[in-house]
Amino acid sequence: MKKLYRGKILNPISASECEFFADGGILVDENGRIESYGKFEKLNKGEDIEVQDFSEDLIIPAFSDVHTHLPQYDVRGKFSGNDLLPWLRNYIWPEEIKFASSDYAKKVARRFFDDLIQHGTLTAGIFGTIHVNAAREMFNECNIRAIIGKAMMDQNSPAELTENTQDSLEGVDDLCEEFGQKHAITPRFAMTCSNELMCGGAALANKYGAIIQTHLSENYEVIDMTSKLFPNAENYTDIYLKAGLLGPKTIVAHAIHCSDEEFDVLKKTGTKIAHCPTSNIALNSGRMPVEKVFNKGIEFALATDVGAGPKTSMLDVMRGFLEAHAGIDACEYVVNEVSALYYATLAGAKILGFGAETGNFKEGKSADFLVLKTNFKSAKPKEIIHNLCYDIDYSSVVQKTVFRGEVIYEG
Ligand SMILES: [Zn+2]
């Protein structure tokens, strides 16, 4: 039987447009797809329809988190005042070493995905550790729409997290064979990757048509060290360009301190950016010039970057997005409540290659959405989204998470 979900509906269309239906409905067919959506009274016709009435509640598309680290789940937010490198040394490497145990990886993965579903994230780009078996456990536990990548690291890392270059490439090759395009090529960042490893990664991405995910220009200290490691490169971005890692299926996280020339290369190659405002604030990394990225026409979407980002909730990232760029005149038309919802949903789904399947409400798309318990009275998307970011408890607002038309979580 078809199901008609009734509620107040927000539907992000673009960075500047969001539909709102005060008494709306999402009609879901027997296959979990959206047959139609809009005003409730227009949809409530026909006999084989079961109405699910949430007319007092808000219904929005599920979130996309385009850059997060599953292995850092248990150490998220457990730091203060550390910049990137000491934070990696003190908190992250010791935790990632534990993922040599598949059993440990499995247990963390289970809790991680439960948490994402509770917070309404159903699409994600996920980093693993260097461990092939840990990546397998992550895939086995994954019950959302995600790409997952075994991290590649063959230099400047602790001994337990330093791979032999060839072994690393073979491990990635095996995972691509096994999981197809769901496995992302994941050279962690230039500092921890030899040129040979990055070039090998690019070749594997070509072979399998895989997404590539990495970090770029996050922190001045790292930029400095990286330029010494790769003296033949013009700049940080050029290292990846020369290795063949940039292109329309590549997602670089951060891109905070890129020069105009570097942004031009990202644009020209079609490379996408994962913008992680809460992480950037937590690690004192700086502000990504979102106005520049927007004006150059580089595609970006929001991400938690757990565990530097302290929370798994994309509502927290939307709040961080509004705050990180507040008071900067050039940002006013790029950064606002309506764009925040778009960058936390449809923009992310597009970047991860799932834009035709999910990310907002459209006939034929998968019914992936959230019923949120709120008591907001406004009929203006901007005000409702503002309330979502500031006036609710992120951990209890999700009343139902619906994935492919099935309720998979009830709060
Ligand atoms: Zn990251």
Side-chain angles (χ1 to χ4, degrees):
M1 194 186 270
K2 292 174 190 172
K3 282 188 179 148
L4 177 54
Y5 285 82
R6 181 181 196 178
K8 300 167 187 172
I9 293 171
L10 278 179
N11 187 31
I13 304 293
S14 70
S16 58
E17 193 189 345
C18 184
E19 294 177 319
F20 178 69
F21 301 95
D23 184 13
I26 315 274
L27 184 60
V28 180
D29 72 15
E30 292 84 350
N31 301 315
R33 299 216 160 255
I34 298 168
E35 186 169 300
S36 52
Y37 75 97
K39 288 185 179 165
F40 174 75
E41 57 183 29
K42 283 192 179 168
L43 299 168
N44 192 22
K45 288 172 182 163
E47 300 198 336
D48 296 329
I49 293 177
E50 178 192 325
V51 174
Q52 302 270 323
D53 197 337
F54 299 101
S55 40
E56 294 303 309
D57 302 323
L58 184 66
I59 298 178
I60 67 171
F63 293 116
S64 298
D65 180 356
V66 297
H67 179 94
T68 182
H69 298 255
L70 184 155
Q72 299 174 17
Y73 178 66
D74 281 342
V75 288
R76 67 194 186 284
K78 285 186 182 172
F79 53 88
S80 61
N82 273 287
D83 285 2
L84 178 60
L85 291 177
W87 172 74
L88 285 172
R89 275 195 300 272
N90 297 335
Y91 299 94
I92 300 307
W93 299 149
E95 180 67 13
E96 292 203 5
I97 287 168
K98 297 180 190 168
F99 280 67
S101 156
S102 302
D103 193 44
Y104 188 81
K106 186 189 187 70
K107 285 177 182 159
V108 178
R110 187 163 291 173
R111 286 187 286 112
F112 174 83
F113 287 114
D114 280 351
D115 188 325
L116 260 55
I117 287 167
Q118 283 174 31
H119 288 93
T121 296
L122 291 181
T123 308
I126 299 170
F127 276 54
T129 56
I130 60 162
H131 310 98
V132 173
N133 283 332
R136 285 200 179 97
E137 296 297 344
M138 293 173 201
F139 276 109
N140 290 340
E141 293 300 322
C142 179
N143 48 6
I144 63 169
R145 203 174 256 117
I147 57 150
I148 302 173
K150 178 201 106 62
M152 301 162 75
M153 301 156 74
D154 69 345
Q155 62 178 22
N156 295 315
S157 309
E160 299 94 322
L161 294 177
T162 305
E163 304 172 280
N164 166 283
T165 308
Q166 216 44 48
D167 290 348
S168 178
L169 292 168
E170 280 168 22
V172 171
D173 203 346
D174 288 348
L175 289 167
C176 287
E177 277 292 341
E178 214 169 319
F179 299 102
Q181 293 183 344
K182 286 184 188 160
H183 185 265
I185 309 299
T186 309
R188 187 175 200 125
F189 61 128
M191 222 178 87
T192 62
C193 298
S194 67
N195 192 52
E196 187 188 347
L197 185 68
M198 289 190 283
C199 291
L204 288 170
N206 277 333
K207 179 176 168 189
Y208 292 101
I211 283 184
I212 295 171
Q213 51 179 0
T214 187
H215 297 89
L216 171 67
S217 203
E218 179 175 2
N219 160 293
Y220 282 125
E221 191 183 4
V222 171
I223 294 169
D224 215 41
M225 291 167 78
T226 306
S227 70
K228 289 180 183 125
L229 281 169
F230 298 90
N232 297 328
E234 307 269 330
N235 49 51
Y236 199 153
T237 303
D238 193 46
I239 299 167
Y240 294 148
L241 179 69
K242 286 200 165 91
L245 286 171
L246 300 184
K249 292 186 88 169
T250 300
I251 304 164
V252 295
H254 308 308
I256 297 170
H257 306 291
C258 288
S259 63
D260 271 327
E261 293 72 33
E262 290 180 273
F263 280 127
D264 287 341
V265 169
L266 296 182
K267 169 63 184 166
K268 205 187 276 179
T269 53
T271 301
K272 317 292 194 277
I273 294 174
H275 176 33
C276 316
T278 52
S279 159
N280 299 161
I281 292 167
L283 292 179
N284 310 308
S285 301
R287 184 186 78 86
M288 186 192 82
V290 66
E291 65 286 3
K292 197 177 271 188
V293 167
F294 182 85
N295 288 334
K296 284 188 184 287
I298 300 166
E299 271 185 68
F300 72 95
L302 290 172
T304 59
D305 194 25
V306 158
K311 290 191 163 79
T312 47
S313 171
M314 288 302 292
L315 288 169
D316 187 52
V317 176
M318 288 164 61
R319 182 196 52 75
F321 179 60
L322 295 173
E323 290 178 1
H325 308 287
I328 294 165
D329 287 350
C331 287
E332 277 174 5
Y333 62 97
V334 190
V335 180
N336 52 61
E337 285 80 357
V338 166
S339 73
L341 183 63
Y342 169 74
Y343 290 123
T345 54
L346 182 57
K350 282 183 179 173
I351 282 182
L352 291 167
F354 302 122
E357 184 67 9
T358 190
N360 70 349
F361 301 123
K362 195 176 177 189
E363 287 77 7
K365 279 194 176 184
S366 178
D368 304 342
F369 59 86
L370 315 173
V371 178
L372 305 179
K373 192 135 205 74
T374 67
N375 52 8
F376 310 147
K377 299 291 174 239
S378 173
K380 292 181 180 158
K382 190 178 157 69
E383 286 172 10
I384 298 171
I385 298 165
H386 190 88
N387 290 146
L388 278 178
C389 294
Y390 286 94
D391 299 336
I392 50 141
D393 175 0
Y394 301 149
S395 59
S396 62
V397 68
V398 176
Q399 194 182 355
K400 282 189 198 306
T401 301
V402 180
F403 186 40
R404 297 183 167 125
E406 298 287 329
V407 175
I408 59 165
Y409 168 75
E410 285 191 76

